[in-house]
Amino acid sequence: TKIDSYDFIVVGGGTAGCVAAGRLSENGKFNVLLLEAGGVPIDDMDIPAFAPTFQVDPEWTFQYKSVPQTNASLAYNGIVNIPLGRVLGGTSSLNYMFFNRGSPKDFDNWARIADDPSWNYSNMLQHFKKSEDYAGEFPPTDQHGIGGPILITNQSYAPGLETWLEAGIALNYSVADPNGPQKISFTPIEYNKRAGRRISSYTAFIKPFENSRSNLKVVTRAYATELVMEGNKAVGVKYNNSNNEIISVYATKEVIVSAGAYGSPMLLMKSGIGPKEVLESSGIPLIKELPVGNNLQDHPIVPIQLIINNKSLLFDPVRDLTPENLELYQREGVGPYTTTAGLFAQAYVASTVATAEGEEDWADIQFSMYAQTFLTGLPDVNLGSWEAPIFAYPYLGRQKSRGTVKLDPTNINNQPLIDFNFLSDPRDFQITIDSIQMTMKIMEETVPYRFLGARYPPVPLTVCQHLHFRSEEYWECYVKQMLVGGNHPVGTCKMGVSTDPEAVVDSKLRVIGIDGLRVVDASIMPVITNANVQAAIFAIGEKGADEILKEWDR
Ligand SMILES: Cc1cc2nc3c(=O)[nH]c(=O)nc-3n(C[C@H](O)[C@H](O)[C@H](O)COP(=O)(O)OP(=O)(O)OC[C@H]3O[C@@H](n4cnc5c(N)ncnc54)[C@H](O)[C@@H]3O)c2cc1C
């Protein structure tokens, strides 16, 4: 094992890690090493319709499971499935590619928590814009970036979209730009795609430069096992390579941890940075006590299955993913292969909880409409041959409950113990029930959906059938059974001021009390954004790199 030294080592070539390594190596002044646990994505991963297959393939993912939840996912014994990208590009190499930033209020709140105005929306806008090349359907404005590496486009094949937007208008909502400042609104979905193919953080920020930048080295199949510490300073990384050897590499300037909301807290804790009792129970000597792994947040979803009487309006994988359509896709980049699971439409609305807390203009529910589900356990309904199921997936957009990620004391190399603590805050129940009532209103009371005969099938969940069907008590029972994880884990290395008992990094993303170490990924979010999180994570990558360069490129 030879001694290798770089200016910067980025651990984790995922969504934020590829942005950070790409930007840090851009001016040619610094030697950058990017370590990634997984391999190089294959071209088929860029085909949207194949995403659901890759999301469950252990070759390209970590497949974690939560500890049993007491209030949620009871239809699945309380266990939440947690797929994560283990590949260059990380989860951006296999996610659904929804691209939407979140509310300006989300970022203004971060700025307040971190006591640093550079995190407010008006300043974060430059970081969003830097990544983007906006080609969506809303007119170009100073809110959109042009010329960045991530092309943002609308979905040309979106059969259920018009009905959804018309229903929103019927309920007096506006139709707004998902990548402008978020409003209470109904919106189409925009995606990071070019000619119907995925753009991941790897294909945008690393792949084009991998051979031309001699100062950028990418090592795949490199699983970091611990940081090399000299007292309170991070000076390098130990990793397990593809031959199962432990290799040590050194950073003369900084180590940047971008291993995601589970990987980053795990690596810090394994290296002696974390809660005292967690480290003690694993026999790891404590270097710095910090609340690493607390503050876990997600966007839990309660899936609701409805029925409409027009099959042609929906994506049906069996009917639509044909060899002819694959040929069409390969020739022209259009048609059903450009969609991931038939997701077309969304809305941002405020619950009664947001309204009661004076936040009626800050959405806390995000709806997504799916034309397909991967879930079992929903009530069994009989469909007529002319009928089609559709699925409303309201997300709890700004959940109040907080969970934890801890090392497994029986073996720190196992997946961590992940407890979402879903619905531990009673306000989350109320928001979820509001989102169900709202779904019924959209489907049963608006002309566009009534025209389609939209209906909620009168089939109760067996375990809830003793309760009056569709009463609040019934829905509470339904939610406990059916609420699942939203695949948007964030918050486990919280950004905050040094007096904040939950803070792990400061507003420049430096680990508090440790030199030479930052965290740059989903973990740093103090509070989750009410939007699919990747756009904000790309922006965290941009801002993190910007802060690092400000310090070292003077
Ligand atoms: C099924 C699914 C669908 C989703 N759909 C959407 C969507 O449509 N829109 C959206 O906005 N968001 C979506 N998300 C969420 C979003 O993609 C993720 O939140 C985001 O990509 C996470 O970014 P990250 O940089 O924090 O972590 P990741 O992108 O997960 O990157 C972490 C990287 O670190 C590597 N790593 C971990 N540990 C180590 C280690 N010890 N050593 C070396 N490398 C390590 C991993 O292999 C990985 O490459 C989805 C997520 C899932 C799972």
Side-chain angles (χ1 to χ4, degrees), residues 11-17 35-38 55 62 83-87 89-92 94-98 222-224 258-261 263 267 487-489 521-522 532-535 537:
V11 183
T15 312
L35 296 175
E36 165 52 40
Q55 288 166 3
F62 297 101
L84 302 161
R86 183 170 56 90
V87 57
T91 310
S92 79
L94 41 81
N95 68 12
Y96 287 132
M97 292 171 277
F98 281 40
Y223 185 79
S258 300
L267 184 62
N487 288 325
H488 295 168
D521 61 22
N532 308 72
V533 285
Q534 69 168 351
I537 297 169

mmCIF file of all heavy atoms in Angstrom, residues 11-17 35-38 55 62 83-87 89-92 94-98 222-224 258-261 263 267 487-489 521-522 532-535 537, ligand 1:
data_model
loop_
_atom_site.group_PDB
_atom_site.id
_atom_site.type_symbol
_atom_site.label_atom_id
_atom_site.label_comp_id
_atom_site.label_asym_id
_atom_site.label_seq_id
_atom_site.Cartn_x
_atom_site.Cartn_y
_atom_site.Cartn_z
ATOM 1 N N VAL A 11 -15.073 11.927 -0.278
ATOM 2 C CA VAL A 11 -15.503 10.547 0.001
ATOM 3 C C VAL A 11 -16.966 10.403 -0.393
ATOM 4 O O VAL A 11 -17.848 11.002 0.230
ATOM 5 C CB VAL A 11 -15.344 10.210 1.501
ATOM 6 C CG1 VAL A 11 -15.724 8.746 1.738
ATOM 7 C CG2 VAL A 11 -13.944 10.487 1.982
ATOM 8 N N GLY A 12 -17.222 9.605 -1.430
ATOM 9 C CA GLY A 12 -18.594 9.397 -1.906
ATOM 10 C C GLY A 12 -18.797 10.156 -3.216
ATOM 11 O O GLY A 12 -18.907 11.382 -3.220
ATOM 12 N N GLY A 13 -18.829 9.406 -4.328
ATOM 13 C CA GLY A 13 -19.033 10.029 -5.647
ATOM 14 C C GLY A 13 -20.498 10.041 -5.997
ATOM 15 O O GLY A 13 -20.900 9.606 -7.070
ATOM 16 N N GLY A 14 -21.329 10.533 -5.079
ATOM 17 C CA GLY A 14 -22.763 10.560 -5.317
ATOM 18 C C GLY A 14 -23.223 11.900 -5.855
ATOM 19 O O GLY A 14 -22.464 12.613 -6.528
ATOM 20 N N THR A 15 -24.456 12.236 -5.550
ATOM 21 C CA THR A 15 -25.077 13.435 -6.118
ATOM 22 C C THR A 15 -24.252 14.669 -5.773
ATOM 23 O O THR A 15 -23.756 15.369 -6.657
ATOM 24 C CB THR A 15 -26.521 13.563 -5.575
ATOM 25 O OG1 THR A 15 -27.155 12.286 -5.719
ATOM 26 C CG2 THR A 15 -27.316 14.613 -6.326
ATOM 27 N N ALA A 16 -24.057 14.935 -4.475
ATOM 28 C CA ALA A 16 -23.296 16.123 -4.083
ATOM 29 C C ALA A 16 -21.800 15.908 -4.291
ATOM 30 O O ALA A 16 -21.078 16.840 -4.665
ATOM 31 C CB ALA A 16 -23.573 16.455 -2.615
ATOM 32 N N GLY A 17 -21.312 14.668 -4.072
ATOM 33 C CA GLY A 17 -19.867 14.405 -4.153
ATOM 34 C C GLY A 17 -19.312 14.659 -5.549
ATOM 35 O O GLY A 17 -18.211 15.205 -5.698
ATOM 36 N N LEU A 35 -13.364 9.212 -4.053
ATOM 37 C CA LEU A 35 -13.497 7.789 -3.695
ATOM 38 C C LEU A 35 -14.967 7.398 -3.730
ATOM 39 O O LEU A 35 -15.784 8.026 -3.064
ATOM 40 C CB LEU A 35 -12.981 7.557 -2.265
ATOM 41 C CG LEU A 35 -11.508 7.815 -1.992
ATOM 42 C CD1 LEU A 35 -11.225 7.645 -0.490
ATOM 43 C CD2 LEU A 35 -10.637 6.854 -2.801
ATOM 44 N N GLU A 36 -15.298 6.357 -4.475
ATOM 45 C CA GLU A 36 -16.700 5.935 -4.572
ATOM 46 C C GLU A 36 -16.812 4.438 -4.281
ATOM 47 O O GLU A 36 -16.080 3.640 -4.868
ATOM 48 C CB GLU A 36 -17.273 6.275 -5.956
ATOM 49 C CG GLU A 36 -18.576 5.606 -6.325
ATOM 50 C CD GLU A 36 -19.697 5.753 -5.288
ATOM 51 O OE1 GLU A 36 -19.859 6.852 -4.700
ATOM 52 O OE2 GLU A 36 -20.409 4.757 -5.049
ATOM 53 N N ALA A 37 -17.767 4.103 -3.405
ATOM 54 C CA ALA A 37 -17.956 2.701 -3.009
ATOM 55 C C ALA A 37 -18.400 1.821 -4.181
ATOM 56 O O ALA A 37 -18.034 0.644 -4.264
ATOM 57 C CB ALA A 37 -19.001 2.623 -1.893
ATOM 58 N N GLY A 38 -19.186 2.373 -5.099
ATOM 59 C CA GLY A 38 -19.736 1.578 -6.195
ATOM 60 C C GLY A 38 -18.882 1.685 -7.456
ATOM 61 O O GLY A 38 -17.736 2.138 -7.418
ATOM 62 N N GLN A 55 -33.233 0.445 -9.187
ATOM 63 C CA GLN A 55 -33.416 0.860 -7.784
ATOM 64 C C GLN A 55 -33.431 -0.324 -6.814
ATOM 65 O O GLN A 55 -33.210 -0.143 -5.626
ATOM 66 C CB GLN A 55 -34.720 1.653 -7.636
ATOM 67 C CG GLN A 55 -34.637 3.036 -8.237
ATOM 68 C CD GLN A 55 -35.990 3.692 -8.406
ATOM 69 O OE1 GLN A 55 -37.018 3.133 -8.021
ATOM 70 N NE2 GLN A 55 -36.008 4.882 -8.990
ATOM 71 N N PHE A 62 -27.147 0.135 -2.201
ATOM 72 C CA PHE A 62 -27.230 -0.430 -0.860
ATOM 73 C C PHE A 62 -28.732 -0.623 -0.627
ATOM 74 O O PHE A 62 -29.520 0.280 -0.935
ATOM 75 C CB PHE A 62 -26.739 0.563 0.205
ATOM 76 C CG PHE A 62 -25.287 0.960 0.098
ATOM 77 C CD1 PHE A 62 -24.920 2.183 -0.462
ATOM 78 C CD2 PHE A 62 -24.293 0.137 0.618
ATOM 79 C CE1 PHE A 62 -23.590 2.577 -0.522
ATOM 80 C CE2 PHE A 62 -22.955 0.534 0.564
ATOM 81 C CZ PHE A 62 -22.598 1.749 -0.006
ATOM 82 N N PRO A 83 -33.669 2.005 -0.462
ATOM 83 C CA PRO A 83 -32.665 1.847 -1.510
ATOM 84 C C PRO A 83 -31.807 3.103 -1.623
ATOM 85 O O PRO A 83 -32.303 4.217 -1.445
ATOM 86 C CB PRO A 83 -33.514 1.676 -2.783
ATOM 87 C CG PRO A 83 -34.801 2.384 -2.489
ATOM 88 C CD PRO A 83 -34.979 2.424 -0.993
ATOM 89 N N LEU A 84 -30.516 2.919 -1.891
ATOM 90 C CA LEU A 84 -29.599 4.072 -2.038
ATOM 91 C C LEU A 84 -28.646 3.749 -3.180
ATOM 92 O O LEU A 84 -28.199 2.598 -3.295
ATOM 93 C CB LEU A 84 -28.734 4.233 -0.778
ATOM 94 C CG LEU A 84 -29.444 4.438 0.543
ATOM 95 C CD1 LEU A 84 -28.495 4.105 1.686
ATOM 96 C CD2 LEU A 84 -29.929 5.870 0.649
ATOM 97 N N GLY A 85 -28.298 4.732 -3.987
ATOM 98 C CA GLY A 85 -27.343 4.485 -5.070
ATOM 99 C C GLY A 85 -25.974 4.126 -4.515
ATOM 100 O O GLY A 85 -25.485 4.758 -3.589
ATOM 101 N N ARG A 86 -25.369 3.060 -5.074
ATOM 102 C CA ARG A 86 -23.973 2.729 -4.759
ATOM 103 C C ARG A 86 -23.257 2.619 -6.109
ATOM 104 O O ARG A 86 -23.026 1.545 -6.644
ATOM 105 C CB ARG A 86 -23.888 1.403 -3.992
ATOM 106 C CG ARG A 86 -22.457 1.042 -3.563
ATOM 107 C CD ARG A 86 -22.460 -0.150 -2.611
ATOM 108 N NE ARG A 86 -23.122 -1.307 -3.197
ATOM 109 C CZ ARG A 86 -22.512 -2.253 -3.919
ATOM 110 N NH1 ARG A 86 -21.228 -2.214 -4.122
ATOM 111 N NH2 ARG A 86 -23.206 -3.254 -4.426
ATOM 112 N N VAL A 87 -22.935 3.780 -6.654
ATOM 113 C CA VAL A 87 -22.465 3.881 -8.035
ATOM 114 C C VAL A 87 -22.023 5.334 -8.222
ATOM 115 O O VAL A 87 -22.472 6.209 -7.471
ATOM 116 C CB VAL A 87 -23.646 3.512 -8.983
ATOM 117 C CG1 VAL A 87 -24.871 4.391 -8.761
ATOM 118 C CG2 VAL A 87 -23.264 3.541 -10.448
ATOM 119 N N GLY A 89 -22.283 8.930 -9.290
ATOM 120 C CA GLY A 89 -23.560 9.650 -9.448
ATOM 121 C C GLY A 89 -24.487 9.363 -8.276
ATOM 122 O O GLY A 89 -25.477 10.061 -8.079
ATOM 123 N N GLY A 90 -24.166 8.308 -7.505
ATOM 124 C CA GLY A 90 -24.955 7.995 -6.305
ATOM 125 C C GLY A 90 -26.416 7.804 -6.653
ATOM 126 O O GLY A 90 -26.773 7.233 -7.693
ATOM 127 N N THR A 91 -27.279 8.307 -5.803
ATOM 128 C CA THR A 91 -28.711 8.093 -6.001
ATOM 129 C C THR A 91 -29.218 8.872 -7.215
ATOM 130 O O THR A 91 -30.253 8.531 -7.776
ATOM 131 C CB THR A 91 -29.462 8.425 -4.691
ATOM 132 O OG1 THR A 91 -28.811 7.716 -3.619
ATOM 133 C CG2 THR A 91 -30.898 7.974 -4.735
ATOM 134 N N SER A 92 -28.453 9.879 -7.687
ATOM 135 C CA SER A 92 -28.888 10.576 -8.910
ATOM 136 C C SER A 92 -28.722 9.696 -10.148
ATOM 137 O O SER A 92 -29.205 10.037 -11.217
ATOM 138 C CB SER A 92 -28.154 11.914 -9.092
ATOM 139 O OG SER A 92 -26.861 11.727 -9.615
ATOM 140 N N LEU A 94 -29.971 6.673 -10.284
ATOM 141 C CA LEU A 94 -31.108 5.758 -10.414
ATOM 142 C C LEU A 94 -32.406 6.306 -9.836
ATOM 143 O O LEU A 94 -33.382 5.571 -9.692
ATOM 144 C CB LEU A 94 -30.772 4.385 -9.810
ATOM 145 C CG LEU A 94 -30.000 4.332 -8.489
ATOM 146 C CD1 LEU A 94 -30.925 4.539 -7.329
ATOM 147 C CD2 LEU A 94 -29.262 3.019 -8.384
ATOM 148 N N ASN A 95 -32.453 7.585 -9.515
ATOM 149 C CA ASN A 95 -33.693 8.132 -8.938
ATOM 150 C C ASN A 95 -34.715 8.439 -10.041
ATOM 151 O O ASN A 95 -34.509 8.123 -11.211
ATOM 152 C CB ASN A 95 -33.389 9.362 -8.060
ATOM 153 C CG ASN A 95 -32.906 10.554 -8.861
ATOM 154 O OD1 ASN A 95 -32.997 10.571 -10.084
ATOM 155 N ND2 ASN A 95 -32.397 11.559 -8.183
ATOM 156 N N TYR A 96 -35.819 9.083 -9.651
ATOM 157 C CA TYR A 96 -36.884 9.352 -10.631
ATOM 158 C C TYR A 96 -36.682 10.652 -11.399
ATOM 159 O O TYR A 96 -37.507 11.010 -12.232
ATOM 160 C CB TYR A 96 -38.238 9.380 -9.931
ATOM 161 C CG TYR A 96 -38.744 8.025 -9.490
ATOM 162 C CD1 TYR A 96 -39.231 7.815 -8.208
ATOM 163 C CD2 TYR A 96 -38.747 6.957 -10.373
ATOM 164 C CE1 TYR A 96 -39.706 6.579 -7.810
ATOM 165 C CE2 TYR A 96 -39.216 5.716 -9.975
ATOM 166 C CZ TYR A 96 -39.689 5.531 -8.694
ATOM 167 O OH TYR A 96 -40.157 4.310 -8.316
ATOM 168 N N MET A 97 -35.647 11.413 -11.034
ATOM 169 C CA MET A 97 -35.284 12.633 -11.783
ATOM 170 C C MET A 97 -36.266 13.791 -11.653
ATOM 171 O O MET A 97 -36.201 14.722 -12.458
ATOM 172 C CB MET A 97 -35.066 12.323 -13.274
ATOM 173 C CG MET A 97 -33.850 11.484 -13.528
ATOM 174 S SD MET A 97 -33.767 10.921 -15.231
ATOM 175 C CE MET A 97 -34.821 9.526 -15.160
ATOM 176 N N PHE A 98 -37.194 13.754 -10.707
ATOM 177 C CA PHE A 98 -37.991 14.956 -10.442
ATOM 178 C C PHE A 98 -36.993 16.052 -10.079
ATOM 179 O O PHE A 98 -36.112 15.813 -9.243
ATOM 180 C CB PHE A 98 -38.843 14.809 -9.191
ATOM 181 C CG PHE A 98 -40.095 14.022 -9.309
ATOM 182 C CD1 PHE A 98 -40.167 12.874 -10.050
ATOM 183 C CD2 PHE A 98 -41.215 14.435 -8.610
ATOM 184 C CE1 PHE A 98 -41.332 12.138 -10.096
ATOM 185 C CE2 PHE A 98 -42.379 13.709 -8.653
ATOM 186 C CZ PHE A 98 -42.441 12.555 -9.397
ATOM 187 N N ALA A 222 -14.254 1.718 -3.923
ATOM 188 C CA ALA A 222 -13.417 2.158 -2.804
ATOM 189 C C ALA A 222 -14.346 2.549 -1.660
ATOM 190 O O ALA A 222 -14.967 3.615 -1.696
ATOM 191 C CB ALA A 222 -12.570 3.358 -3.229
ATOM 192 N N TYR A 223 -14.476 1.682 -0.683
ATOM 193 C CA TYR A 223 -15.397 1.917 0.439
ATOM 194 C C TYR A 223 -14.608 2.451 1.632
ATOM 195 O O TYR A 223 -13.789 1.730 2.226
ATOM 196 C CB TYR A 223 -16.123 0.616 0.808
ATOM 197 C CG TYR A 223 -17.166 0.831 1.871
ATOM 198 C CD1 TYR A 223 -18.407 1.369 1.551
ATOM 199 C CD2 TYR A 223 -16.908 0.520 3.202
ATOM 200 C CE1 TYR A 223 -19.372 1.595 2.527
ATOM 201 C CE2 TYR A 223 -17.860 0.745 4.192
ATOM 202 C CZ TYR A 223 -19.089 1.290 3.840
ATOM 203 O OH TYR A 223 -20.026 1.516 4.810
ATOM 204 N N ALA A 224 -14.833 3.729 1.973
ATOM 205 C CA ALA A 224 -14.093 4.345 3.081
ATOM 206 C C ALA A 224 -14.529 3.706 4.400
ATOM 207 O O ALA A 224 -15.725 3.628 4.691
ATOM 208 C CB ALA A 224 -14.351 5.839 3.104
ATOM 209 N N SER A 258 -19.030 13.116 1.519
ATOM 210 C CA SER A 258 -20.262 13.246 0.721
ATOM 211 C C SER A 258 -20.877 11.873 0.516
ATOM 212 O O SER A 258 -21.243 11.497 -0.585
ATOM 213 C CB SER A 258 -19.947 13.878 -0.645
ATOM 214 O OG SER A 258 -19.374 15.151 -0.507
ATOM 215 N N ALA A 259 -20.984 11.108 1.592
ATOM 216 C CA ALA A 259 -21.420 9.712 1.489
ATOM 217 C C ALA A 259 -22.925 9.552 1.706
ATOM 218 O O ALA A 259 -23.416 8.435 1.840
ATOM 219 C CB ALA A 259 -20.614 8.845 2.448
ATOM 220 N N GLY A 260 -23.658 10.672 1.745
ATOM 221 C CA GLY A 260 -25.114 10.606 1.854
ATOM 222 C C GLY A 260 -25.581 10.598 3.307
ATOM 223 O O GLY A 260 -24.785 10.516 4.249
ATOM 224 N N ALA A 261 -26.894 10.668 3.493
ATOM 225 C CA ALA A 261 -27.475 10.884 4.822
ATOM 226 C C ALA A 261 -27.306 9.689 5.760
ATOM 227 O O ALA A 261 -27.520 9.818 6.968
ATOM 228 C CB ALA A 261 -28.951 11.229 4.693
ATOM 229 N N GLY A 263 -24.437 7.263 4.912
ATOM 230 C CA GLY A 263 -22.996 6.995 4.794
ATOM 231 C C GLY A 263 -22.144 8.027 5.520
ATOM 232 O O GLY A 263 -21.136 7.671 6.149
ATOM 233 N N LEU A 267 -19.587 7.192 8.658
ATOM 234 C CA LEU A 267 -18.124 7.351 8.564
ATOM 235 C C LEU A 267 -17.598 8.237 9.697
ATOM 236 O O LEU A 267 -16.553 7.947 10.286
ATOM 237 C CB LEU A 267 -17.754 7.940 7.191
ATOM 238 C CG LEU A 267 -16.260 8.066 6.917
ATOM 239 C CD1 LEU A 267 -15.573 6.696 6.930
ATOM 240 C CD2 LEU A 267 -16.014 8.757 5.572
ATOM 241 N N ASN A 487 -37.794 7.960 0.550
ATOM 242 C CA ASN A 487 -36.478 7.884 -0.108
ATOM 243 C C ASN A 487 -35.759 9.227 -0.179
ATOM 244 O O ASN A 487 -34.947 9.450 -1.078
ATOM 245 C CB ASN A 487 -36.602 7.313 -1.524
ATOM 246 C CG ASN A 487 -36.911 5.835 -1.502
ATOM 247 O OD1 ASN A 487 -36.431 5.126 -0.627
ATOM 248 N ND2 ASN A 487 -37.731 5.394 -2.426
ATOM 249 N N HIS A 488 -36.068 10.130 0.738
ATOM 250 C CA HIS A 488 -35.410 11.436 0.758
ATOM 251 C C HIS A 488 -34.734 11.677 2.116
ATOM 252 O O HIS A 488 -35.027 12.658 2.786
ATOM 253 C CB HIS A 488 -36.430 12.556 0.500
ATOM 254 C CG HIS A 488 -37.046 12.537 -0.855
ATOM 255 N ND1 HIS A 488 -38.149 13.303 -1.197
ATOM 256 C CD2 HIS A 488 -36.726 11.850 -1.978
ATOM 257 C CE1 HIS A 488 -38.470 13.077 -2.460
ATOM 258 N NE2 HIS A 488 -37.628 12.201 -2.959
ATOM 259 N N PRO A 489 -33.831 10.795 2.549
ATOM 260 C CA PRO A 489 -33.244 10.989 3.876
ATOM 261 C C PRO A 489 -32.314 12.199 3.908
ATOM 262 O O PRO A 489 -31.503 12.385 2.997
ATOM 263 C CB PRO A 489 -32.441 9.696 4.092
ATOM 264 C CG PRO A 489 -32.077 9.262 2.701
ATOM 265 C CD PRO A 489 -33.254 9.640 1.849
ATOM 266 N N ASP A 521 -23.411 17.171 1.584
ATOM 267 C CA ASP A 521 -24.447 16.318 0.968
ATOM 268 C C ASP A 521 -25.775 16.536 1.698
ATOM 269 O O ASP A 521 -25.921 17.503 2.466
ATOM 270 C CB ASP A 521 -24.036 14.834 0.959
ATOM 271 C CG ASP A 521 -23.819 14.257 2.352
ATOM 272 O OD1 ASP A 521 -24.354 14.815 3.323
ATOM 273 O OD2 ASP A 521 -23.113 13.246 2.470
ATOM 274 N N ALA A 522 -26.725 15.612 1.484
ATOM 275 C CA ALA A 522 -28.068 15.741 2.076
ATOM 276 C C ALA A 522 -28.036 15.830 3.597
ATOM 277 O O ALA A 522 -28.963 16.374 4.208
ATOM 278 C CB ALA A 522 -28.909 14.529 1.670
ATOM 279 N N ASN A 532 -38.834 17.348 -3.907
ATOM 280 C CA ASN A 532 -37.864 16.261 -4.039
ATOM 281 C C ASN A 532 -36.497 16.890 -3.835
ATOM 282 O O ASN A 532 -36.232 17.987 -4.319
ATOM 283 C CB ASN A 532 -37.978 15.642 -5.432
ATOM 284 C CG ASN A 532 -39.404 15.259 -5.723
ATOM 285 O OD1 ASN A 532 -40.236 16.133 -5.938
ATOM 286 N ND2 ASN A 532 -39.705 13.999 -5.669
ATOM 287 N N VAL A 533 -35.642 16.194 -3.132
ATOM 288 C CA VAL A 533 -34.505 16.888 -2.533
ATOM 289 C C VAL A 533 -33.282 17.069 -3.427
ATOM 290 O O VAL A 533 -32.364 17.817 -3.083
ATOM 291 C CB VAL A 533 -34.082 16.186 -1.225
ATOM 292 C CG1 VAL A 533 -35.083 16.497 -0.119
ATOM 293 C CG2 VAL A 533 -33.959 14.683 -1.404
ATOM 294 N N GLN A 534 -33.236 16.394 -4.584
ATOM 295 C CA GLN A 534 -31.950 16.403 -5.298
ATOM 296 C C GLN A 534 -31.530 17.795 -5.774
ATOM 297 O O GLN A 534 -30.329 18.111 -5.762
ATOM 298 C CB GLN A 534 -31.933 15.412 -6.455
ATOM 299 C CG GLN A 534 -32.838 15.784 -7.615
ATOM 300 C CD GLN A 534 -32.585 14.946 -8.861
ATOM 301 O OE1 GLN A 534 -31.642 14.188 -8.937
ATOM 302 N NE2 GLN A 534 -33.453 15.089 -9.844
ATOM 303 N N ALA A 535 -32.467 18.631 -6.215
ATOM 304 C CA ALA A 535 -32.067 19.954 -6.711
ATOM 305 C C ALA A 535 -31.344 20.709 -5.601
ATOM 306 O O ALA A 535 -30.302 21.342 -5.830
ATOM 307 C CB ALA A 535 -33.283 20.737 -7.202
ATOM 308 N N ILE A 537 -29.741 19.333 -3.195
ATOM 309 C CA ILE A 537 -28.457 18.655 -2.921
ATOM 310 C C ILE A 537 -27.409 19.046 -3.975
ATOM 311 O O ILE A 537 -26.235 19.245 -3.655
ATOM 312 C CB ILE A 537 -28.654 17.127 -2.819
ATOM 313 C CG1 ILE A 537 -29.585 16.818 -1.629
ATOM 314 C CG2 ILE A 537 -27.329 16.401 -2.675
ATOM 315 C CD1 ILE A 537 -30.079 15.383 -1.550
HETATM 316 C C1 LIG B 1 -35.797 5.312 -5.490
HETATM 317 C C2 LIG B 1 -35.468 6.771 -5.302
HETATM 318 C C3 LIG B 1 -36.067 7.721 -6.105
HETATM 319 C C4 LIG B 1 -35.777 9.072 -5.920
HETATM 320 N N1 LIG B 1 -36.331 9.988 -6.775
HETATM 321 C C5 LIG B 1 -35.997 11.290 -6.638
HETATM 322 C C6 LIG B 1 -36.481 12.263 -7.562
HETATM 323 O O1 LIG B 1 -37.203 11.945 -8.515
HETATM 324 N N2 LIG B 1 -36.126 13.554 -7.376
HETATM 325 C C7 LIG B 1 -35.344 13.948 -6.327
HETATM 326 O O2 LIG B 1 -35.106 15.145 -6.194
HETATM 327 N N3 LIG B 1 -34.872 13.057 -5.453
HETATM 328 C C8 LIG B 1 -35.142 11.740 -5.602
HETATM 329 N N4 LIG B 1 -34.617 10.826 -4.744
HETATM 330 C C9 LIG B 1 -33.726 11.307 -3.674
HETATM 331 C C10 LIG B 1 -32.358 11.791 -4.172
HETATM 332 O O3 LIG B 1 -31.970 11.107 -5.334
HETATM 333 C C11 LIG B 1 -31.309 11.618 -3.066
HETATM 334 O O4 LIG B 1 -31.793 12.209 -1.892
HETATM 335 C C12 LIG B 1 -29.986 12.269 -3.430
HETATM 336 O O5 LIG B 1 -29.553 11.780 -4.670
HETATM 337 C C13 LIG B 1 -28.948 12.017 -2.326
HETATM 338 O O6 LIG B 1 -27.767 12.733 -2.624
HETATM 339 P P1 LIG B 1 -26.485 12.602 -1.713
HETATM 340 O O7 LIG B 1 -25.360 13.242 -2.441
HETATM 341 O O8 LIG B 1 -26.781 13.088 -0.347
HETATM 342 O O9 LIG B 1 -26.238 11.035 -1.559
HETATM 343 P P2 LIG B 1 -26.026 9.936 -2.699
HETATM 344 O O10 LIG B 1 -26.343 10.444 -4.046
HETATM 345 O O11 LIG B 1 -26.749 8.718 -2.244
HETATM 346 O O12 LIG B 1 -24.458 9.689 -2.680
HETATM 347 C C14 LIG B 1 -23.748 9.036 -1.674
HETATM 348 C C15 LIG B 1 -22.588 8.306 -2.369
HETATM 349 O O13 LIG B 1 -21.632 7.919 -1.406
HETATM 350 C C16 LIG B 1 -21.210 6.604 -1.652
HETATM 351 N N5 LIG B 1 -20.764 6.069 -0.365
HETATM 352 C C17 LIG B 1 -21.518 5.833 0.744
HETATM 353 N N6 LIG B 1 -20.741 5.413 1.743
HETATM 354 C C18 LIG B 1 -19.470 5.396 1.268
HETATM 355 C C19 LIG B 1 -18.213 5.059 1.834
HETATM 356 N N7 LIG B 1 -18.109 4.683 3.107
HETATM 357 N N8 LIG B 1 -17.110 5.145 1.038
HETATM 358 C C20 LIG B 1 -17.204 5.553 -0.246
HETATM 359 N N9 LIG B 1 -18.371 5.894 -0.839
HETATM 360 C C21 LIG B 1 -19.485 5.820 -0.079
HETATM 361 C C22 LIG B 1 -22.432 5.925 -2.232
HETATM 362 O O14 LIG B 1 -22.064 4.784 -2.973
HETATM 363 C C23 LIG B 1 -23.021 7.039 -3.090
HETATM 364 O O15 LIG B 1 -22.492 7.039 -4.387
HETATM 365 C C24 LIG B 1 -34.883 9.472 -4.907
HETATM 366 C C25 LIG B 1 -34.275 8.509 -4.107
HETATM 367 C C26 LIG B 1 -34.547 7.170 -4.301
HETATM 368 C C27 LIG B 1 -33.854 6.142 -3.428
#
